[in-house]
Amino acid sequence: MNSYNDKTEDWRLYEAGKQYNNRLEPNYYDTVDANYEFFHGNQWRNVKAENIPKPTFNIIKRITQFLVASLTSSKIKLHFEPLPFFQQPTEDGQISGADIANAQTSSLFEKFKMDFKIKEALFDAAITGDSCAHFYFDVTKKPYGSLSEVRGEIGFELVDGSNVFFGNANNSNVDSQPYIIVSGRDMVRNLREQAKRYNQKESEVNSITNDYNYQEQTSDSGKIEVDADEYGKALYIIVYRKKKVKRVKKDEQGNEMLDESSNPVTEEVETIVASKSVENAYIFKDVDTGLSHYPVAWLNWEKQKNQYHGRALCTGILPNQIFINRMFAMVMYHLQMTAFPKTVYNADVIASWSNEIGQAIAVRGMGANENIKNIAGYLEPGNMSNRIESVIDLAMQYTKETLGISDAALGNVDPKNTSAIIAVQKSTAIPLENPKSNLYEWIEDIGKILLDFMGTYYGIRPVSVDQNGGKVVVEYDFSQFKDLFLDIRADVGESSYWSEIASIQTLDNLLNNGHIDIIEYLDRTPDEYIPQKEELISSIKERMQQATQPASPEQLIAMLPTDEQQAFMNASPEQQQEILAQLQMQMQQSQAPAPM
């Protein structure tokens, strides 16, 4: 163990964060480990009773899976819109910055496998109370392969809540933190190579050695590693801080601004600097990231007052789970002890007793008038109270109901009265409103971070955008995002199957009664219901536009029967003009929309 003076300044902040977690009641690390083990079914890990059954009826896992599935039953999408007072007028067909942000964010979500990541983050939050999205920029990646020389891509990883430390632990707001620490474990070889890329001294590089600082890693499995030569791991920390620096101002074209003496004009801006270190050596220090926001999005399952850690779903169910397991264990033990009655016999008359089937038992010294039933018999086992089973059932039932898991939510109902089902589903979903709001806030924070990353690192690069029902590729200078003001919103579809059906039925009725046209109908229909919806809308608009154009004389004549075409050719010019006018009027009347 290194002495206090050998440790880096950042490492002391990390140890202060661990000390804070250990001071929480109950102990934060013990709570997280217990929650994970209970979720995975290892619910008797600290019980050393060898002679009793250890049943596991894992209601924690069932409840957590259901609630996470309920929160993610609809696809979540980020949407960027210009703020009304910052919106610049655009010409028809011109692609705006908001369009670029929407297209690029959608592409990144596909690369991140965001639907799966959201589920994984919610499981972490439900089990431990917290989940963290950590972003970085990987300069070695080529996002377009050999098609372009553009380098660099935004990276994304989920970090356990136990590996994130806030400078102000009594506040869960990320932007207000004086610093944020993200810890992890990596191969010593990788950490040394990274230190060399940042031109660290040889003594600093050699100071990076394998360690066994994994006691605070999440779950019991995080504390077991491969112990092999050249594959050792070391604990590292990344410290993000806010710092004010001076930068040269640039004009709208990106050129440096100069004063009257041709000196660069500077301005003081707040930026995020990053330092990465192990216990006694820096890998890099105070690197200016150029970012305006911390690259960390923090998610709580349920926020707690004056604490950045959230309260986990599993924490509140643990006592119920322990009670259910214990009661079942005692019932099983009682059955084992009393299922087969014990034999009692007179040893003065019978020397030994055999339980073998069909085995004869010799009896000596028995008088002729004695009853054989007085020689041997069976003890009556004590009866178990019938209330035990009902109490176990009530414990399971009340646990589910207090968490909003009813028969209507599970779909165990006859769907005859859909209005009643919708009302019951909405009432049972009330306990999920707080986690749902936290999830949407987390997604919007991710959008803010992605916008910051693109504006800082992307530069000029191609991007694919939807336009007029098709895909177009444009070159865009993403540095404009640094001065672009956009409103970020998490768009979420209906989570209820019945709500979707009701919405579609309403649209059908509006269309059938002539209150909306086909274009308005398609615009409001969810994308998953109609494949290639944008292409279909574009095709219908094109046909409608062609239909509104006046037909040529040749087209009008072709509409006439053969004999009438011959009569038209033999008619005078004045008669031909009159016939064409009548045909044109008939065509317009046939294309006119029906009255509403």
Side-chain angles (χ1 to χ4, degrees), residues 53-170:
K54 297 182 180 65
T56 299
F57 294 87
N58 201 342
I59 63 169
I60 286 182
K61 189 170 187 177
R62 174 75 173 106
I63 290 172
T64 305
Q65 287 176 333
F66 174 79
L67 295 182
V68 170
S70 299
L71 287 170
T72 57
S73 59
S74 292
K75 194 168 185 178
I76 302 176
K77 183 179 180 182
L78 269 175
H79 186 72
F80 297 87
E81 286 182 352
L83 297 176
F85 45 88
F86 283 112
Q87 188 171 4
Q88 299 293 329
T90 57
E91 300 176 0
D92 292 342
Q94 183 178 354
I95 299 173
S96 66
D99 295 331
I100 298 292
N102 286 321
Q104 191 63 27
T105 304
S106 178
S107 175
L108 286 171
F109 270 30
E110 290 294 331
K111 290 183 179 179
F112 295 157
K113 308 296 184 190
M114 201 62 186
D115 290 342
F116 172 76
K117 291 293 186 182
I118 289 174
K119 287 185 174 66
E120 188 177 351
L122 282 172
F123 271 115
D124 285 345
I127 297 170
T128 69
D130 314 307
S131 185
C132 176
H134 178 225
F135 294 86
Y136 56 93
F137 193 72
D138 191 343
V139 296
T140 64
K141 292 291 184 67
K142 297 188 68 174
Y144 305 102
S146 59
L147 300 176
S148 174
E149 294 299 321
V150 172
R151 283 188 175 273
E153 190 171 32
I154 299 174
F156 164 57
E157 64 177 350
L158 288 177
V159 180
D160 294 332
S162 58
N163 288 342
V164 181
F165 306 86
F166 282 14
N168 181 5
N170 301 112

Side-chain angles (χ1 to χ4, degrees), residues 257-270:
M257 299 177 64
L258 304 176
D259 59 16
E260 296 177 353
S261 303
S262 299
N263 296 319
V265 178
T266 60
E267 61 178 343
E268 191 175 60
V269 296
E270 190 174 64

Side-chain angles (χ1 to χ4, degrees), residues 67 71 122 125-126 129 299-303 311-313 432 435 438:
L67 295 182
L71 287 170
L122 282 172
L299 172 64
N300 294 136
W301 180 265
E302 183 180 342
K303 294 183 184 295
R311 181 171 176 83
L313 170 70
L432 281 177
N438 295 339

